[in-house]
């Protein structure tokens, strides 16, 4: 006769400082005040909302929190002491003196003192809208009242780059997410969204790129033209708003990880779209779109770099670009290098507040 044991995957263990938790948990406060931490945003931008996740913190979550935000100049950011990340440590007196001199408690309040719910699956996600959705911030301060544990903090918003720091002579990635680029439309995103194309770094897998479904209008037997491009009628496209108006001088298209499902070729178009006209223009053919990069054959799992006057065609100042692939497939990353220029209704180059 066999003995059947019921196995479970739930377990817990304790350290010298208490139960191990996957998050930030402060000690039970026994002095005046409350706990807080300062977080540098991965990308400066406008704050739209927050998810304060208390997962698994059921008997030890903070009763209340608030969130403040500020733009911290480099000279002040450099004054912030580097904290050790191991469990059981607290700020030393000299570190607190340095941080207190920055008066972070006076930063703008974007989430007022609000109650949290315990970390059960039904109540762990505590969503809060930002009371300031327009200004640009670089750092936030999360306040726990008075102490407790938070598993994860998600900060949602739109990147907003400070273009006043970039001279027109400097070459930048005009479409990068970190520079305020944004995907505003596409024809198909069956396996992966084209917004991934402008993410930092190289793609980590096919899931971290733009991949379309196989087009059903593909010819039964494929043929090539004299340039070696497949003769197909169908194409897929993705449209992006640049972080700043500019002139494109080079284009990178990376098919990293796409070995058997890369596009046959791609091209890049650009135009200048007045505010509010983007949605109408992004599906149009011909004018006002101008070809920036003509049809370029692509290879599998490979970065492609296109530059030079013979490759990049004259196009004027653009604030929208459209990447076209044929007939279908996957691309990992897109970089659009160029120089910022004033828009057609602007004077000198200034920060772009319309991303």
């Amino acid at each position: 006769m066999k003995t059947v044991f019921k196995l479970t995957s739930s377990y817990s263990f304790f350290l010298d400082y208490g139960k191990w938790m996957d998050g930030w948990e402060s000690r039970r406060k026994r002095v005046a005040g409350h706990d807080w931490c300062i977080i540098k945003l991965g990308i400066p931008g406008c704050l739209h909302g927050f998810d304060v996740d208390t997962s698994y913190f059921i008997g030890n979550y903070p009763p209340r929190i608030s969130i403040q935000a500020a733009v911290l100049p480099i000279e002040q950011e450099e004054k912030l002491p580097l904290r050790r990340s191991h469990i059981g440590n607290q700020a030393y007196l000299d570190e607190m003196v340095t941080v207190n001199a920055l008066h972070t408690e006076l930063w703008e309040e974007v989430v007022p003192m609000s109650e949290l719910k315990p970390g059960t699956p039904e109540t762990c996600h505590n969503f809060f809208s930002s009371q300031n959705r327009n200004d640009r911030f670089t750092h936030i301060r999360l306040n726990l009242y008075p102490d407790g544990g938070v598993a994860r903090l998600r900060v949602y918003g739109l990147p907003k780059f400070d273009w006043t720091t970039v001279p027109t002579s400097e070459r930048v990635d005009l479409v990068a997410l970190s520079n305020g680029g944004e995907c505003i439309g596409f024809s198909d995103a069956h396996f992966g969204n084209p917004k991934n194309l402008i993410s930092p770094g190289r793609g980590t897998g096919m899931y971290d790129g733009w991949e379309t479904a196989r087009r059903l209008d593909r010819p039964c037997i494929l043929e090539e033209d004299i340039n070696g491009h497949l003769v197909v009628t169908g194409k897929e496209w993705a449209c992006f708003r640049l972080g700043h108006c500019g002139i494109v001088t080079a284009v990178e298209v990376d098919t990293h990880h796409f070995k058997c499902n890369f596009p046959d070729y791609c091209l890049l178009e650009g135009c200048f779209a007045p505010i509010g006209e983007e949605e109408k223009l992004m599906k149009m053919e011909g004018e006002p779109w101008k070809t920036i990069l003509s049809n370029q054959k692509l290879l599998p799992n490979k970065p492609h770099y296109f530059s030079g006057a013979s490759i990049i065609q004259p196009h004027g100042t653009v604030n929208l670009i459209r990447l076209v692939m044929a007939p279908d497939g996957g691309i990992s990353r897109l970089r659009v290098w160029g120089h910022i220029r004033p828009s057609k209704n602007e004077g000198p180059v200034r920060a772009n507040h319309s991303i």
Side-chain angles (χ1 to χ4, degrees), residues 22 32 57 60 64 84 108 153 255 346 354:
D22 183 18
F57 289 93
N60 50 351
R64 295 171 181 81
R84 297 172 295 168
E108 181 175 347
L153 173 66
T255 57
E346 286 181 352
S354 59

Side-chain angles (χ1 to χ4, degrees), residues 235-307:
K235 297 178 175 65
E236 305 292 357
W237 58 269
C239 188
F240 299 85
R241 182 189 294 115
L242 301 181
H244 196 287
C245 304
I247 301 291
V248 179
T249 59
V251 177
E252 289 184 60
V253 178
D254 192 355
T255 57
H256 192 36
H257 300 294
F258 292 97
K259 300 176 181 179
C260 300
N261 47 353
F262 62 99
D264 180 54
Y265 66 87
C266 74
L267 63 94
L268 188 77
E269 301 169 306
C271 73
F272 182 87
I275 295 176
E277 297 291 314
E278 296 95 338
E279 185 173 356
K280 180 180 72 174
L281 293 178
M282 67 182 178
K283 297 180 181 179
M284 293 177 57
E285 296 291 338
E287 292 292 337
W289 291 99
K290 295 183 181 299
T291 299
I292 297 175
L293 179 71
S294 59
N295 295 352
Q296 300 293 326
K297 192 79 171 178
L298 296 178
L299 297 173
N301 192 35
K302 182 183 187 327
H304 305 74
Y305 184 80
F306 307 105
S307 66

Side-chain angles (χ1 to χ4, degrees), residues 58-343:
I58 298 175
N60 50 351
Y61 66 97
R64 295 171 181 81
I65 60 96
S66 73
I67 300 176
Q68 298 168 273
V71 174
L72 205 59
I74 296 296
E75 57 271 17
Q76 291 191 24
E77 181 183 336
E78 291 175 345
K79 294 179 181 179
L80 291 174
L82 295 177
R83 289 299 313 279
R84 297 172 295 168
S85 61
H86 65 266
I87 193 171
N89 71 97
Q90 63 179 347
Y92 294 116
L93 178 60
D94 60 330
E95 294 174 330
M96 291 302 299
V97 169
T98 300
V99 175
N100 288 340
L102 300 177
H103 298 292
T104 61
E105 73 280 0
L106 301 179
W107 286 1
E108 181 175 347
E109 190 175 67
V110 291
V111 175
M113 187 182 293
S114 306
E115 291 187 359
L116 289 187
K117 296 179 181 179
T120 64
E122 298 77 20
T123 62
C124 62
H125 291 286
N126 299 266
F127 294 100
F128 304 99
S129 295
S130 173
Q131 294 193 339
N132 185 333
R133 297 168 60 97
N134 299 316
D135 290 340
R136 175 180 178 270
F137 297 105
T138 61
H139 292 71
I140 63 171
R141 170 171 156 150
L142 173 63
N143 299 296
L144 310 183
Y145 299 109
D147 53 38
V150 173
R152 295 291 186 272
L153 173 66
R154 305 298 185 208
V155 181
Y156 300 100
L158 291 176
K160 195 171 187 179
F161 188 74
D162 183 7
W163 289 102
T164 61
T165 63
V166 179
T168 57
S169 59
E170 182 176 331
R171 196 181 77 152
V172 293
D173 184 356
L174 296 169
V175 78
L177 176 66
S178 57
N179 291 341
E182 181 184 2
C183 179
I184 61 173
F186 52 84
S187 59
D188 181 83
H190 189 85
F191 296 109
N193 197 295
K195 67 181 181 181
N196 296 328
L197 295 179
I198 58 176
S199 298
R202 294 196 80 188
T204 56
M206 286 188 290
Y207 59 87
D208 185 29
W210 172 37
E211 184 180 1
T212 71
R214 302 192 192 205
R215 292 190 63 91
L216 299 181
D217 58 2
R218 303 188 312 281
C220 294
I221 299 176
L222 297 174
E223 297 180 356
E224 295 181 349
D225 62 17
I226 59 174
N227 296 315
H229 300 150
L230 294 180
V231 180
V232 293
T233 56
K235 297 178 175 65
E236 305 292 357
W237 58 269
C239 188
F240 299 85
R241 182 189 294 115
L242 301 181
H244 196 287
C245 304
I247 301 291
V248 179
T249 59
V251 177
E252 289 184 60
V253 178
D254 192 355
T255 57
H256 192 36
H257 300 294
F258 292 97
K259 300 176 181 179
C260 300
N261 47 353
F262 62 99
D264 180 54
Y265 66 87
C266 74
L267 63 94
L268 188 77
E269 301 169 306
C271 73
F272 182 87
I275 295 176
E277 297 291 314
E278 296 95 338
E279 185 173 356
K280 180 180 72 174
L281 293 178
M282 67 182 178
K283 297 180 181 179
M284 293 177 57
E285 296 291 338
E287 292 292 337
W289 291 99
K290 295 183 181 299
T291 299
I292 297 175
L293 179 71
S294 59
N295 295 352
Q296 300 293 326
K297 192 79 171 178
L298 296 178
L299 297 173
N301 192 35
K302 182 183 187 327
H304 305 74
Y305 184 80
F306 307 105
S307 66
S310 61
I311 302 295
I312 303 298
Q313 301 184 22
H315 52 276
T317 300
V318 298
N319 63 356
L320 286 188
I321 56 104
R322 185 166 62 185
L323 177 65
V324 179
M325 68 162 78
D328 49 45
I331 296 174
S332 178
R333 290 292 186 268
L334 171 68
R335 306 292 182 227
V336 178
W337 297 99
H339 300 274
I340 62 174
R341 292 290 184 270
S343 67

